[in-house]
């Protein structure tokens, strides 16, 4: 496939993405309750985010409290997205803005009105909202009162919330995602932000070396309840509006064997299974993977599964698969990690990496797209992909982010190749549409956006918006439907 000869399907959904807890701010305005990330302080690559039981703004900075101030500037942002030519805006509704405590009898009308205005503004500019129902925004009350998703009662609370927004925005939103990056629930990183389990060390860490059998069991019990809730919501969405399409949302993990040693090949297979397919098989096939029972046995996992859950899962499979893609890692059967290890495996010595140690691997995206499509044969949508980098604004107000343009260009080429392979790829939303707070580290200086926001890690700045070079490049790509990536 030659340059300037890339073919994307007619109607391809070019766009960008954000998450409510990372961009909105206004954390306690107009009736909103606290979400789990509202209790998380800022951090950085070397210092994990702390989780405080009581919000103490005098001694800590909580990045979600300001985000990039989109709550009050969403009209300006959507007009910028429209100028770029977005066909879709992938965003999230903050659960605690609709039901402040998660178990409220009635929804917060101000929250419902806010998102209606936002969706209407999108439609005014022919931008189709792709809406995540929960994206690291579980109401804090559900965490402390119910133990998060470990409690089966939360299924009904989520279904009530979903029914509320599905009914409220019928006709305005028809493309929905249930749980963001649900597969993070298999490790300690996802305990709080995806499953609402209060971490015992009160920190957001990728892996907890002190995790007990009970801790692991709680993670997988919570996941089961999330699976059941998602399946119920899929069925409910179809009943409320036959035009609704509901997808799962996964963190797209890709693992290569560190070497051609058979043990490393087997390790890569196992990593792909637990990091990807444990969740995807349930949500896409309606049943647990054939190897799940052995995994449960070897890890002393004992789940409470109601007899009717199997029927619910079978009847509530998703319509499409959405996922994030940032990096690839390598797997090895060596028990001890050594120099070169990453959060998820081993660093690939053949690939370059970002300032945060994330490998840059466009070819891995083509491989993963083919892996997912071959296994499930469901439409695919990339709803997060991008590069976090240190960036500064020049004296003339310009932000030259050629690194981002190169990153996106090469990933678009990989997408075009996958489409040529026969993969049904329906859309792409860059992460992120605009500079926002990093969920993992709480930093603002780790910039992903195509639009620069004048803010720093401690919430200082004008928060004014400036177009980066990538803004203008992406605008040209969308205008030609990806046929010319120069």
């Amino acid at each position: 496939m030659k340059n300037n000869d890339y073919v994307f399907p007619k109607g391809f959904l070019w766009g960008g993405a954000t998450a409510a807890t990372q961009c909105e701010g206004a954390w306690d305005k107009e009736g909103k309750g606290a979400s789990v990330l509202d209790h998380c302080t800022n951090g950085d690559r070397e210092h994990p985010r702390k989780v405080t039981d009581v919000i103490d703004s005098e001694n800590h900075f909580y990045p979600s409290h300001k985000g990039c101030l989109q709550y009050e500037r969403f009209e300006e942002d959507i007009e910028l997205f429209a100028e770029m030519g977005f066909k879709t805006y992938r965003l999230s509704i903050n659960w605690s803005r609709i039901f402040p405590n998660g178990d409220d009898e009635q929804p917060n009308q101000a929250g419902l009105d806010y998102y209606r205005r936002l969706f209407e503004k999108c439609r005014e500019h022919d931008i189709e909202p792709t809406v995540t129902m929960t994206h690291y925004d579980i109401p804090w009350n559900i965490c402390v009162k119910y133990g998060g998703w470990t409690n089966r009662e939360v299924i009904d609370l989520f279904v009530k919330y979903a029914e509320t927004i599905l009914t409220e925005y019928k006709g305005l939103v028809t493309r929905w995602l249930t749980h963001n990056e649900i597969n993070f629930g298999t490790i300690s990183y996802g305990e709080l932000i995806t499953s609402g389990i209060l971490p015992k060390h009160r920190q957001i860490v990728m892996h907890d070396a002190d995790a007990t059998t009970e801790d692991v069991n709680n993670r997988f019990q919570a996941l089961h309840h999330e699976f059941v809730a998602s399946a119920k919501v899929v069925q409910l969405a179809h009943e409320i509006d036959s035009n609704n399409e509901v997808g799962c949302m996964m963190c797209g993990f890709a693992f290569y064997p560190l070497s051609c040693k058979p043990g490393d090949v087997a390790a890569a297979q196992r990593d792909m299974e637990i990091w990807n397919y444990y969740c995807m098989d349930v949500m896409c096939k309606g049943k647990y993977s054939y190897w799940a029972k052995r995994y449960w046995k070897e890890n002393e996992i004992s789940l409470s599964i109601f007899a009717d859950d199997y029927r619910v899962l079978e009847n509530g499979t998703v319509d499409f698969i959405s996922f994030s893609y940032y990096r690839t890692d390598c797997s090895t059967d060596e028990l001890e990690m050594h120099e070169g290890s990453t959060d998820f495996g081993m660093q690939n010595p053949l690939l370059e990496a970002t300032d945060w140690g994330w490998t840059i691997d466009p070819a891995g995206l083509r491989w993963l797209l083919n892996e997912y499509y071959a296994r499930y044969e469901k439409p695919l949508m990339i709803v997060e992909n991008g590069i976090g980098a240190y960036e500064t604004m020049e004296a003339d107000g310009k932000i030259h982010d050629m690194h981002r343009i190169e990153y996106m260009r090469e990933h678009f080429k990989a997408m075009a190749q996958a489409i040529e392979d026969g993969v049904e790829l329906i859309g792409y939303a860059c992460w992120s549409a605009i500079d926002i707070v990093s969920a993992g580290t709480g930093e603002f200086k780790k910039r992903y956006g195509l639009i620069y926001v004048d803010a720093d890690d401690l919430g200082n700045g004008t928060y004014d918006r400036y177009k980066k070079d990538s803004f203008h490049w992406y605008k040209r790509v969308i205008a030609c439907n990806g046929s010319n990536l120069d």
Side-chain angles (χ1 to χ4, degrees):
M1 186 177 290
K2 299 178 180 179
N3 196 22
N4 302 338
D5 191 30
Y6 300 102
V7 178
F8 289 83
K10 183 179 180 180
F12 189 78
L13 294 169
W14 298 99
T18 62
T21 52
Q22 295 168 251
C23 74
E24 281 183 358
W27 76 278
D28 60 350
K29 304 298 183 185
E30 298 187 306
K32 181 186 173 298
S35 70
V36 292
L37 276 187
D38 291 330
H39 282 257
C40 296
T41 67
N42 62 320
D44 55 41
R45 188 179 176 187
E46 287 76 32
H47 303 91
R49 303 185 70 176
K50 296 179 180 179
V51 183
T52 64
D53 290 7
V54 176
I55 292 174
D56 179 10
S57 298
E58 291 187 4
N59 295 303
H60 300 287
F61 179 66
Y62 299 86
S64 69
H65 293 191
K66 296 189 76 169
C68 70
L69 300 185
Q70 189 173 91
Y71 189 80
E72 58 193 66
R73 303 182 71 152
F74 76 88
E75 292 187 344
E76 174 187 359
D77 289 346
I78 291 172
E79 287 172 2
L80 286 168
F81 301 161
E83 183 181 342
M84 267 190 285
F86 279 17
K87 310 302 179 185
T88 191
Y89 175 30
R90 185 256 171 153
L91 68 155
S92 67
I93 292 176
N94 198 319
W95 186 353
S96 61
R97 200 176 290 284
I98 306 302
F99 286 96
N101 299 295
D103 59 0
D104 310 83
E105 188 64 30
Q106 298 296 327
N108 174 32
Q109 189 61 48
L112 292 173
D113 293 344
Y114 167 73
Y115 289 109
R116 175 169 288 278
R117 294 194 301 271
L118 192 158
F119 298 147
E120 287 175 345
K121 185 69 175 179
C122 286
R123 291 292 184 180
E124 177 186 326
H125 290 283
D126 296 321
I127 298 173
E128 181 179 353
T130 297
V131 179
T132 314
M133 294 181 174
T134 177
H135 189 143
Y136 303 165
D137 56 10
I138 300 169
W140 180 252
N141 180 61
I142 286 182
C143 175
V144 296
K145 180 178 178 180
Y146 295 89
W149 280 99
T150 61
N151 192 325
R152 193 175 177 90
E153 292 182 51
V154 178
I155 295 175
D156 290 338
L157 297 178
F158 183 76
V159 171
K160 178 181 178 180
Y161 158 64
E163 183 175 15
T164 300
I165 59 177
L166 286 165
T167 303
E168 178 72 21
Y169 306 121
K170 181 179 179 179
L172 274 176
V173 180
T174 57
R175 182 171 288 103
W176 299 90
L177 313 177
T178 51
H179 306 277
N180 180 71
E181 292 184 328
I182 189 172
N183 46 340
F184 267 130
T186 60
I187 60 172
S188 54
Y189 175 72
E191 284 182 343
L192 179 69
I193 60 177
T194 67
S195 299
I197 303 170
L198 190 61
K200 58 188 177 186
H201 297 302
R202 299 300 193 266
Q203 292 182 332
I204 301 292
V205 295
M206 195 61 63
H207 300 285
D208 179 8
D210 299 327
T212 65
T213 299
E214 182 182 5
D215 294 333
V216 175
N217 200 87
N218 283 339
R219 295 174 195 166
F220 284 85
Q221 185 64 65
L223 276 174
H224 177 74
H225 293 155
E226 291 176 78
F227 295 151
V228 173
S230 178
K232 287 188 173 185
V233 168
V234 169
Q235 296 174 73
L236 183 63
H238 293 159
E239 292 169 6
I240 290 174
D241 187 349
S242 60
N243 292 316
N244 278 332
E245 295 182 346
V246 185
C248 59
M249 198 294 190
M250 301 288 163
C251 183
F253 290 105
F255 293 92
Y256 305 137
L258 185 62
S259 73
C260 56
K261 184 174 66 173
D264 286 357
V265 175
Q269 183 181 56
R270 288 192 297 270
D271 283 340
M272 288 295 292
E273 287 174 345
I274 191 59
W275 287 94
N276 291 284
Y277 302 139
Y278 181 88
C279 295
M280 295 178 78
D281 279 3
V282 177
M283 303 182 84
C284 299
K285 293 183 176 181
K287 59 183 180 181
Y288 280 99
S289 309
Y290 68 90
W291 47 265
K293 288 184 178 179
R294 177 174 181 175
Y295 185 86
W296 294 335
K297 181 180 179 181
E298 292 179 347
N299 291 276
E300 300 181 64
I301 296 170
S302 178
L303 300 182
S304 172
I305 301 178
F306 286 18
D308 193 50
D309 290 352
Y310 295 106
R311 181 191 61 80
V312 172
L313 296 176
E314 183 179 0
N315 293 330
T317 56
V318 294
D319 302 307
F320 66 99
I321 297 167
S322 74
F323 66 100
S324 60
Y325 178 82
Y326 294 102
R327 58 190 286 178
T328 56
D329 293 274
C330 293
S331 303
T332 178
D333 65 349
E334 295 181 9
L335 295 179
E336 296 295 329
M337 302 295 276
H338 48 75
E339 184 178 356
S341 63
T342 71
D343 290 333
F344 310 116
M346 299 296 297
Q347 191 90 15
N348 191 326
L350 302 179
L351 296 175
E352 295 182 6
T354 70
D355 291 330
W356 278 263
W358 293 21
T359 55
I360 300 173
D361 186 10
L365 177 56
R366 177 186 180 185
W367 175 76
L368 194 63
L369 284 165
N370 275 276
E371 283 290 300
Y372 285 172
Y373 195 66
R375 190 178 182 97
Y376 301 109
E377 293 188 331
K378 287 180 180 288
L380 302 176
M381 185 175 183
I382 301 166
V383 293
E384 291 185 28
N385 171 248
I387 183 170
Y390 298 108
E391 293 166 352
T392 57
M393 185 167 59
E394 304 295 331
D396 60 359
K398 304 292 184 181
I399 302 93
H400 303 301
D401 58 340
M402 181 55 67
H403 51 275
R404 179 166 293 106
I405 293 173
E406 288 298 325
Y407 181 98
M408 294 176 72
R409 177 187 289 123
E410 294 307 310
H411 283 78
F412 291 171
K413 291 178 181 179
M415 288 157 49
Q417 293 284 3
I419 291 169
E420 185 70 15
D421 293 336
V423 171
E424 185 180 359
L425 181 61
I426 62 174
Y428 172 91
C430 65
W431 189 267
S432 53
I434 184 171
D435 286 346
I436 58 178
V437 174
S438 168
T441 62
E443 296 171 291
F444 212 97
K445 64 176 173 285
K446 186 181 182 183
R447 297 180 180 273
Y448 280 93
L450 308 184
I451 299 167
Y452 185 91
V453 177
D454 176 30
D456 67 15
D457 285 351
L458 295 178
N460 303 305
T462 64
Y463 284 82
D464 288 341
R465 277 69 165 139
Y466 300 88
K467 302 169 189 176
K468 301 180 186 180
D469 287 354
S470 57
F471 177 105
H472 304 288
W473 178 82
Y474 195 36
K475 178 179 179 179
R476 295 193 295 272
V477 169
I478 296 175
C480 69
N481 197 31
S483 63
N484 189 336
L485 302 179
D486 286 343

